Amino acid sequence: MHTIWSRINNISALLSSCMMGLFAAIALSSLAQQFFQAPLDPSSVSITSLKVAPGKGKQSKVDHALVQFELDANLTPLFNWNTKQLFVYLDAEYTNSKGVKNSVVIWDRIVRSKSSAKFHVEARQKYAFRDVTGFRDSAATYTLRYNLMPHVGALVYGVAGSTNNSIPFPPLAKNNV
Amino acid sequence: MFSEELKAFRRLGFRHVLLQALNFASVIASGLMIWKGLGLLTNSESPIVVVLSGSMEPAFYRGDLLFLTNPASERYHNGDITVYKIPGADIPIVHRVLETHDVKSRGSSVPNQRLLTKGDNNEVNDIELYRGLSYLERKHIVGKVRGFLPYIGYVTIAMNDFPQLKYALLGGLGLLALIQRE
């Protein structure tokens, strides 16, 4: 009854249930905090330059969009006791002439601390933005989204801001090669 | 050395051994039932996975435990973290969705989605990992990550990396089960 094994067993069982209880409390309390807090100030997203160019070589039939943008965001309210990091990404959504709904991430950033959660970015895209059928006659909306990743618990997604209307793609630039 | 135990074993007799075996079987059976039940609820072939690589750092580290769901009617969005398995590859991969393309499919209201993924810690997208496919389809996806527990799954990684540990643990447990009288 009171052997060393049963003592070890009891202590480890108690320890693991306490840990689980603590984890659950942290996860639930941070979810509740996010639910009750005031909504985020919308971030400003603006596209400063947008060009469409034909691809080079093998990809000559594929249209490439070249985007430059400006972001102004303050995501500090998203940081609480259970925030490990924010994954912030700029999402371009459009429907092309073939009726295919597309959504492409053109830029992303990992925010790991509250002090870097307020940022102003002027940059060009990080990832290729291309369409096999071409961008003509379509327009994209650019939305800044975030994924809040907790130390423990559920992943939360949200929108930080967007270009309020869709921005039409310009006609294909002449191939100046 | 084991004379005491052997004596006890004789005293308790055959019925006791059968009872132990039955207990053991019921533990295994209920474990399997919980696993498969979770699989049915979440529509995912493995609703809980352990992170095996560092390609999603600093979001997920090796040994983190992920909880997945995969509702048949739900679309995937950019930024979702998916677990996918390419036919022919034996290890499922946990990566984030970078592009989605909803191609209208005939006779079905749910569009056929084509996805492209990338690991947060990788420089380039996953095309190289797709073994010749140019995008992922819904059928390759095991689930979407919903929740997460840090490092709990490290035990399984340790057991894979050091097989001695696994045998020691299994042997120890087996010995304890045989010896214990209560």
Side-chain angles (χ1 to χ4, degrees):
Chain A
M1 197 55 192
H2 296 289
T3 59
I4 184 117
W5 287 116
S6 66
R7 278 169 205 271
I8 289 178
N9 192 10
N10 284 339
I11 289 174
S12 61
L14 182 69
L15 205 68
S16 55
S17 30
C18 286
M19 286 275 280
M20 286 302 149
L22 186 67
F23 283 170
I26 293 171
L28 292 177
S29 63
S30 68
L31 276 186
Q33 194 263 346
Q34 279 147 27
F35 184 76
F36 288 115
Q37 87 177 348
L40 273 180
D41 288 336
S43 314
S44 85
V45 179
S46 53
I47 303 301
T48 48
S49 155
L50 179 60
K51 284 182 202 137
V52 177
K56 292 188 181 103
K58 256 193 209 166
Q59 297 205 314
S60 61
K61 295 236 169 87
V62 182
D63 281 5
H64 288 242
L66 307 166
V67 190
Q68 285 181 39
F69 55 86
E70 216 178 302
L71 304 174
D72 222 335
N74 180 9
L75 303 175
T76 44
L78 292 172
F79 275 83
N80 65 12
W81 55 92
N82 192 21
T83 307
K84 184 198 225 169
Q85 66 163 36
L86 293 176
F87 182 84
V88 185
Y89 53 107
L90 188 63
D91 200 8
E93 286 153 281
Y94 68 100
T95 304
N96 69 9
S97 51
K98 288 263 166 76
V100 179
K101 259 176 92 178
N102 302 284
S103 129
V104 178
V105 174
I106 57 173
W107 176 88
D108 63 14
R109 168 180 278 188
I110 293 170
V111 178
R112 301 189 67 185
S113 68
K114 198 168 183 168
S115 55
S116 51
K118 193 173 177 193
F119 55 82
H120 176 85
V121 173
E122 278 172 62
R124 59 181 67 229
Q125 80 212 79
K126 227 166 125 181
Y127 305 117
F129 184 15
R130 54 194 169 204
D131 196 304
V132 193
T133 53
F135 289 112
R136 64 182 183 284
D137 301 334
S138 45
T141 311
Y142 299 82
T143 310
L144 186 68
R145 297 174 190 275
Y146 63 83
N147 170 210
L148 194 162
M149 314 192 71
H151 287 297
V152 58
L155 273 65
V156 177
Y157 289 87
V159 175
S162 101
T163 57
N164 291 316
N165 30 28
S166 54
I167 296 162
F169 288 102
L172 192 66
K174 287 225 173 69
N175 203 344
N176 45 13
V177 178
Chain B
M1 186 181 156
F2 286 116
S3 56
E4 191 101 337
E5 274 75 21
L6 269 176
K7 226 181 274 171
F9 188 75
R10 285 220 192 86
R11 183 162 50 82
L12 289 165
F14 191 55
R15 273 169 167 271
H16 180 72
V17 177
L18 275 184
L19 199 66
Q20 285 287 59
L22 199 66
N23 267 332
F24 191 62
S26 93
V27 167
I28 288 184
S30 45
L32 261 176
M33 273 161 67
I34 289 171
W35 178 250
K36 285 293 166 193
L38 264 181
L40 270 180
L41 272 180
T42 58
N43 188 34
S44 174
E45 58 179 285
S46 53
I48 299 174
V49 296
V50 175
V51 177
L52 296 174
S53 85
S55 62
M56 281 297 280
E57 281 173 25
F60 301 141
Y61 289 90
R62 268 166 64 92
D64 288 351
L65 212 62
L66 307 178
F67 300 91
L68 313 181
T69 62
N70 184 28
S73 58
E74 201 177 292
R75 283 187 64 225
Y76 280 77
H77 302 276
N78 282 354
D80 286 348
I81 303 168
T82 58
V83 177
Y84 65 87
K85 208 170 162 186
I86 299 294
D90 30 299
I91 300 172
I93 300 174
V94 186
H95 278 177
R96 196 187 290 274
V97 177
L98 189 71
E99 288 183 21
T100 60
H101 306 281
D102 294 5
V103 182
K104 273 184 195 139
S105 55
R106 252 174 249 151
S108 153
S109 59
V110 182
N112 192 8
Q113 265 197 319
R114 295 173 175 178
L115 307 173
L116 179 68
T117 54
K118 175 184 167 290
D120 285 3
N121 200 21
N122 294 352
E123 285 299 317
V124 294
N125 62 36
D126 289 352
I127 293 248
E128 299 280 308
L129 300 174
Y130 293 169
R131 294 181 172 230
L133 299 173
S134 46
Y135 44 78
L136 286 182
E137 278 180 72
R138 199 47 202 268
K139 61 183 177 213
H140 302 130
I141 290 180
V142 178
K144 181 193 291 197
V145 178
R146 292 298 188 162
F148 129 101
L149 265 180
Y151 297 121
I152 307 283
Y154 208 89
V155 190
T156 60
I157 292 186
M159 279 201 234
N160 264 330
D161 290 356
F162 311 102
Q164 300 95 322
L165 188 72
K166 180 162 61 182
Y167 299 132
L169 208 68
L170 278 178
L173 279 179
L175 210 64
L176 267 183
L178 277 180
I179 289 172
Q180 253 177 3
R181 269 156 254 181
E182 297 134 89

